[in-house]
Amino acid sequence: KIDMTMFSIIKSGMNATNKDLAVISNNIANASTNGFKRSEAQFEDLYFSQHNDSTTVATGMGVRNIKPRQSFSQGSFQQTNGSLDLAIMGEGFFVIGEPLSNVTENETLKYTRDGSFQIDAIGNIVNSDGLPVLGEGATPINVPVNLINENGDTLVISAIKVRDSGDIEVTYGLDDTRTVGRFLLADFVNEHGLKNIGNSRFEETPESGEAILSFPKELTLGKLLPGSLEKSNTDITDELVTMLRTQHAFNGCSKLLQSDIDTVKRLIG
């Protein structure tokens, strides 16, 4: 009878290195994605022990993958001078709602560090996918595209300025400036528990705790940096070094597997 223990241990090692390579590749692919947060593959040892004999020393049975760990370290800032390009300096996430055509009472909010926003045709501030950015009252921020002044004249937007406190100041015509809204931010007790849903967006989970909603420069939240975007926190050099180390580990597992197969062939030959 052939003992399959060694095969399963080597296979678990190959599976683990494959998962690690997939995580590293995703980090590298998103190195230029605004607000992207790199991940690190996590593993834990597997042990076999006889539960009816507590004096038996546990025997290693390989490794298995667990949930990758997100790194929420601050990314570098890129100055764009865009009126609605915003970076968060410090803690916090922008709050993104459901599509305006699909808003429900119990909508699932999403959270992001990607502050690349624009105004749609009806004045809503949206992200690159057209999803509304939320402000006071956790409602979509709407910027009136024109204004009728006291003389009955229709004035159009001439400038938009966002303060580091999140206040949105809009100038109509030459000098009629109004505050039309304020960006809302969210913080979490355990941000590492957030669920990564792609596109630099996250959803809350029981592990992360409920979102704590407030405004920039309040509670534990950071301030906004208008005219800039936060880049990915991926360091390409570090990722390539880790990839080489992981590939060496995979090659080592492959050689062990081949050696074990050759041994078995000799034994049953």
Side-chain angles (χ1 to χ4, degrees), residues 13-31:
M14 296 180 74
N15 288 338
T17 51
N18 267 330
K19 176 64 176 177
D20 202 0
L21 285 171
V23 172
I24 294 168
S25 298
N26 185 59
N27 289 341
I28 293 174
N30 286 282

Side-chain angles (χ1 to χ4, degrees), residues 165-178:
S165 59
D167 289 306
I168 306 165
E169 297 179 351
V170 179
T171 301
Y172 295 90
L174 296 177
D175 55 6
D176 194 338
T177 301
R178 309 285 180 95

Side-chain angles (χ1 to χ4, degrees), residues 219-261:
L219 303 178
T220 58
L221 296 167
K223 66 178 181 180
L224 297 189
L225 193 62
S228 297
L229 292 173
E230 181 182 357
K231 305 304 291 180
S232 168
N233 65 352
T234 299
D235 185 311
I236 289 291
T237 302
D238 287 347
E239 297 297 333
L240 291 176
V241 170
T242 305
M243 176 176 279
L244 287 173
R245 186 172 67 242
T246 305
Q247 286 176 332
H248 288 157
F250 181 84
N251 291 337
C253 289
S254 300
K255 289 177 181 178
L256 280 173
L257 182 60
Q258 187 59 53
S259 176
D260 203 47
I261 291 173

Side-chain angles (χ1 to χ4, degrees), residues 38-231:
R38 64 180 298 274
S39 299
E40 297 176 6
Q42 300 285 300
F43 311 100
E44 62 183 11
D45 295 325
L46 296 176
Y47 292 96
F48 170 80
S49 62
Q50 296 184 6
H51 298 287
N52 60 348
D53 184 0
S54 60
T55 62
T56 302
V57 177
T59 304
M61 293 291 291
V63 297
R64 70 176 177 183
N65 305 106
I66 56 178
K67 179 183 175 182
R69 181 178 176 82
Q70 298 280 154
S71 169
F72 285 97
S73 61
Q74 184 92 59
S76 60
F77 297 122
Q78 179 183 22
Q79 188 170 355
T80 65
N81 295 322
S83 300
L84 290 175
D85 283 344
L86 307 172
I88 302 172
M89 185 180 293
E91 298 294 321
F93 297 83
F94 294 107
V95 186
I96 307 296
E98 298 279 3
L100 292 169
S101 59
N102 191 36
V103 174
T104 59
E105 196 169 309
N106 298 314
E107 66 176 321
T108 302
L109 301 181
K110 298 166 182 64
Y111 308 93
T112 185
R113 295 278 296 192
D114 179 6
S116 178
F117 304 134
Q118 53 263 343
I119 297 178
D120 67 11
I122 56 176
N124 294 308
I125 296 181
V126 297
N127 69 356
S128 55
D129 291 328
L131 298 175
V133 183
L134 304 189
E136 293 180 87
T139 57
I141 302 172
N142 182 269
V143 178
V145 293
N146 52 50
L147 176 72
I148 300 177
N149 65 10
E150 297 173 353
N151 299 323
D153 300 323
T154 300
L155 305 178
V156 297
I157 295 176
S158 57
I160 296 178
K161 183 175 184 179
V162 179
R163 298 289 183 180
D164 61 3
S165 59
D167 289 306
I168 306 165
E169 297 179 351
V170 179
T171 301
Y172 295 90
L174 296 177
D175 55 6
D176 194 338
T177 301
R178 309 285 180 95
T179 299
V180 299
R182 194 176 185 188
F183 283 96
L184 188 68
L185 295 184
D187 199 10
F188 297 88
V189 174
N190 176 28
E191 59 188 13
H192 296 287
L194 291 170
K195 179 183 178 182
N196 188 339
I197 59 173
N199 293 330
S200 299
R201 293 199 285 269
F202 302 89
E203 287 182 352
E204 69 178 50
T205 67
E207 188 180 354
S208 70
E210 291 185 3
I212 303 167
L213 302 177
S214 191
F215 300 105
K217 301 173 70 175
E218 295 184 3
L219 303 178
T220 58
L221 296 167
K223 66 178 181 180
L224 297 189
L225 193 62
S228 297
L229 292 173
E230 181 182 357
K231 305 304 291 180

